């Protein structure tokens, strides 16, 4: 019997994943978790074979799920992590691979593919679905000019407009214009959102 822990914040999706997997004769749900902060304790207690884990794509360098993958590998090394994401990017995938995930699947993929991947991981294989593979082989092209990237990198450090202008030897108004272009190109409402989306898509 393959013991599975499902980690998904959204209740409806979490319930659907559990229902599909528990319907399989060779699988059982060891636990269903909404809060990623509870995962380490849950996997130590339940000792699953596979952990299906939602990976938030917004900030791959600091997101909780990526740290959780590392913790699972330390505390329950036999447990294989199947990372899920609505939108894969090279940065998110690289972070999950480095943390120790062995499987990667898009959240909009067919449920039968999820079942197949859980079985493959339990058998010791590594798996990746086509959407994640395409994200690595054909990452989206950055829409930013070199100067816009300079401004965005400085903004990601938390620098105020005046400091960005001073560092890059630009006029205050020029920096503001670059930031406006960055917000427009990323469809963002503010600088922090633009930074997260640029990180998510591997542009920053």
């Amino acid at each position: 019997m393959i013991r599975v822990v499902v980690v998904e914040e959204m209740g409806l999706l979490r319930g659907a994943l559990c229902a599909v997997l528990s319907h399989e004769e060779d699988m059982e749900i060891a636990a269903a978790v909404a809060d990623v902060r509870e995962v380490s304790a849950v996997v130590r207690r339940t000792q699953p074979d596979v952990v299906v884990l939602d990976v938030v794509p917004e900030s791959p360098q600091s997101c909780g799920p990526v740290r959780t993958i590392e913790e699972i590998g330390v505390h329950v090394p036999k447990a294989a992590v199947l990372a899920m994401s609505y939108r894969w990017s090279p940065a998110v995938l690289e972070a999950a691979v480095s943390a120790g995930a062995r499987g990667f699947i898009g959240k909009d993929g067919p449920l039968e593919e999820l079942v197949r991947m859980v079985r493959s991981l339990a058998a010791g294989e590594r798996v990746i679905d086509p959407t994640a593979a395409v994200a690595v082989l054909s990452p989206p092209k950055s829409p930013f000019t070199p100067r816009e990237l300079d401004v965005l990198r400085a903004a990601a450090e938390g620098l105020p407009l005046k400091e960005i202008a001073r560092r890059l030897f630009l006029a205050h108004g020029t920096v503001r214009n670059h930031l406006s272009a960055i917000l427009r190109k990323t469809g963002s409402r503010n600088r922090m959102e633009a930074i997260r989306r640029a990180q998510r898509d591997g542009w920053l």
Side-chain angles (χ1 to χ4, degrees), residues 128-152:
I128 184 169
D129 83 346
T131 59
V134 168
V136 177
L137 297 174
S138 303
K141 185 178 179 180
S142 171
F144 306 123
T145 66
R147 185 53 94 185
E148 286 169 354
L149 268 177
D150 290 339
V151 170
L152 191 58

Side-chain angles (χ1 to χ4, degrees), residues 89-113:
S89 72
V92 173
L93 193 63
E94 181 181 353
V97 169
S98 298
R102 297 218 314 257
F104 308 90
I105 187 171
K107 292 175 77 171
D108 56 352
L111 290 171
E112 55 266 27
E113 183 70 0

